[in-house]
Amino acid sequence: MPSLGGLLKKRRTKDSQDLGKPDSQNHDGSGASMQPASHASPQHTGTGTATGTHENATSIDHIINQEQPKQERVTKGKYSQEDFELQRTLGTGSFGRVHLVQSNHNHRFYAMKVLKKAQVVKMKQIEHTNDERRMLNRVRHPFLVTLWGTWQDSRNLYMVMDFVEGGELFSLLRKSQRFPNPVAKFYAAEVTLALEYLHAHQIIYRDLKPENLLLDRHGHLKITDFGFAKDVPDITWTLCGTPDYLAPEVVSSKGYNKSVDWWSLGILIFEMLCGFTPFWDSGSPVKIYENILRGKVKYPPYLHNDAVDLLSQLITSDLTKRLGNLHGGPSDVKNHAWFAEVTWDRLARKDIDAPYIPPIRGGQGDASQYDKYPEETEHYGQEGEDPYGHLFPDF
């Protein structure tokens, strides 16, 4: 099924594509939900940036400080089109597009996702659209994108989110081919903390991959695209995700739980360290699924022994052995030898230097890390007949 977030996605490779997701933005160089550097609402926020390259990466330990997230926000009815000035398009897709916008109140920059209601209804994405808004409204974490406000007019839905200036981790990985061990470890550790937080709130993310990991001004991650995120206290059955990253229990249409995110973490670490996913096969989803169910992973000889040990305990179809799904929960992942030098509390405070600082001008609406697109000609904020408004009551 296509995700709402899938609306903003391109193909992850020339051949491999998401499970029925429409072509669009977050897939190979244009992310779409972004970040102000401080954690205030658009009436009181900021954004930023810097420069550098990951080649001089050291392991995980240095400086940067930000507050921990606070309580859930109430966003309904908070903003309107008049509160923001459109700057440029950051990405396009089957349901609409994402714009860089500037607040008319604090003059800071945000990402505004615009979804065409008629298309969302036509593609049967009403539930996913409402789920994305609901999930984003519940979360508040340093490594998750923040939703600041939503509204709707007679034609469109609007979501104002962080503008995360540094672009996608996917783009950096493709340019680098593969990451050195300490670099992959840094990003994997931040993702681990984000998954731990989501799972503690009974949320399965279900779409982990480099395309959905954006880099903020300081090089720290923000997970974006919550179109597949779901509140799941126990198990669910929906077949959704990106073929390369699907756990075998999803492929085989069995009920599954939060353990699918830990499988995906294993695939992500493998891709960061190797430059390719373990079950990729000429881009054919069917062949990828067959390989996933077969479960044979070939680990390149250049991988560190600790990395192989961790991966073998994440990329396993045996749920009684998969780290993250055992009695210790996320602590089993965090306590693994591969993460031995990670100081988790400092990492959560962003009190550790990132291995790569995006080459951008902070706080100035610098969208140089995103592809350019033809601009939207439709005038937003139109009034008139609204046959679908009742389907999106929280916007």
Side-chain angles (χ1 to χ4, degrees):
M1 296 169 74
S3 101
L4 153 65
L7 101 107
L8 302 171
K9 299 198 171 173
K10 298 178 195 158
R11 301 270 162 87
R12 92 180 315 264
T13 65
K14 189 163 62 173
D15 300 307
S16 175
Q17 57 184 324
D18 284 356
L19 223 57
K21 284 192 176 186
D23 247 2
S24 56
Q25 187 206 346
N26 274 335
H27 275 225
D28 60 18
S30 63
S33 357
M34 331 302 159
Q35 158 253 313
S38 72
H39 290 297
S41 81
Q43 308 291 0
H44 320 278
T45 19
T47 89
T49 182
T51 105
T53 151
H54 84 274
E55 308 229 334
N56 300 325
T58 56
S59 163
I60 306 179
D61 242 314
H62 288 3
I63 344 176
I64 280 177
N65 220 327
Q66 284 197 4
E67 288 185 12
Q68 290 291 349
K70 302 183 178 116
Q71 69 277 4
E72 178 178 334
R73 286 92 54 233
V74 177
T75 58
K76 183 177 179 182
K78 198 171 182 182
Y79 306 112
S80 70
Q81 184 61 48
E82 287 67 41
D83 292 313
F84 300 94
E85 189 73 32
L86 287 180
Q87 299 293 312
R88 56 158 280 192
T89 295
L90 295 170
T92 64
S94 299
F95 304 157
R97 60 182 57 217
V98 170
H99 297 275
L100 174 64
V101 297
Q102 186 174 23
S103 168
N104 289 327
H105 302 283
N106 65 11
H107 307 297
R108 291 170 181 166
F109 295 92
Y110 302 88
M112 183 176 76
K113 182 184 282 190
V114 183
L115 310 175
K116 297 181 185 300
K117 288 193 232 180
Q119 280 297 101
V120 172
V121 173
K122 181 180 178 181
M123 299 292 288
K124 296 181 171 60
Q125 291 305 294
I126 299 167
E127 183 179 359
H128 278 155
T129 303
N130 287 321
D131 276 350
E132 177 168 34
R133 189 211 180 276
R134 188 159 45 248
M135 295 302 102
L136 280 171
N137 198 46
R138 284 181 53 193
V139 301
R140 183 84 162 189
H141 190 271
F143 305 132
L144 299 176
V145 74
T146 297
L147 174 70
W148 297 111
T150 63
W151 70 93
Q152 60 179 303
D153 59 26
S154 62
R155 294 189 181 182
N156 301 305
L157 304 169
Y158 301 87
M159 304 174 74
V160 173
M161 294 176 284
D162 291 342
F163 171 47
V164 189
E165 298 153 300
E168 294 178 7
L169 186 69
F170 183 83
S171 300
L172 180 63
L173 180 56
R174 285 299 171 264
K175 289 174 187 173
S176 309
Q177 296 187 325
R178 56 190 174 95
F179 292 151
N181 200 60
V183 176
K185 187 178 303 186
F186 176 87
Y187 296 132
E190 293 197 335
V191 169
T192 297
L193 289 177
L195 291 180
E196 179 180 39
Y197 172 87
L198 289 174
H199 292 179
H201 288 76
Q202 306 303 325
I203 296 171
I204 304 182
Y205 178 62
R206 298 195 297 186
D207 206 12
L208 188 61
K209 56 186 172 183
E211 294 90 326
N212 288 342
L213 303 176
L214 304 180
L215 298 172
D216 72 12
R217 59 177 292 194
H218 299 298
H220 293 277
L221 290 182
K222 290 274 187 181
I223 298 181
T224 187
D225 193 348
F226 277 65
F228 284 156
K230 187 175 183 179
D231 191 333
V232 181
D234 37 41
I235 60 172
T236 187
W237 285 265
T238 310
L239 175 60
C240 64
T242 299
D244 307 64
Y245 276 76
L246 292 182
E249 58 267 32
V250 179
V251 175
S252 57
S253 299
K254 296 177 180 176
Y256 58 87
N257 62 12
K258 300 174 187 69
S259 66
V260 299
D261 283 341
W262 298 114
W263 168 282
S264 296
L265 175 66
I267 305 297
L268 174 68
I269 294 171
F270 187 103
E271 183 170 11
M272 288 193 293
L273 290 171
C274 302
F276 56 90
T277 52
F279 302 112
W280 192 87
D281 192 336
S282 64
S284 162
V286 173
K287 290 181 179 178
I288 292 171
Y289 300 151
E290 290 174 350
N291 292 341
I292 289 170
L293 293 175
R294 200 173 295 120
K296 298 282 178 65
V297 180
K298 293 181 180 178
Y299 295 102
Y302 51 78
L303 291 186
H304 191 282
N305 288 339
D306 287 342
V308 174
D309 185 72
L310 173 61
L311 291 173
S312 67
Q313 295 183 74
L314 290 171
I315 310 174
T316 173
S317 59
D318 188 343
L319 294 178
T320 67
K321 295 180 180 178
R322 188 181 302 169
L323 291 188
N325 192 52
L326 309 182
H327 182 70
S331 295
D332 290 336
V333 178
K334 294 162 68 177
N335 292 331
H336 189 275
W338 191 63
F339 285 125
E341 69 268 45
V342 179
T343 309
W344 293 97
D345 59 338
R346 290 188 65 195
L347 186 68
R349 295 194 305 268
K350 296 187 177 180
D351 189 21
I352 289 172
D353 279 343
Y356 166 81
I357 310 298
I360 46 181
R361 293 167 289 121
Q364 301 180 41
D366 184 349
S368 59
Q369 302 304 301
Y370 293 91
D371 293 343
K372 292 188 176 181
Y373 299 85
E375 293 303 324
E376 176 64 81
T377 56
E378 177 189 339
H379 175 68
Y380 294 145
Q382 295 187 35
E383 299 179 357
E385 184 182 358
D386 185 3
Y388 306 120
H390 67 283
L391 300 173
F392 309 98
D394 292 331
F395 277 82

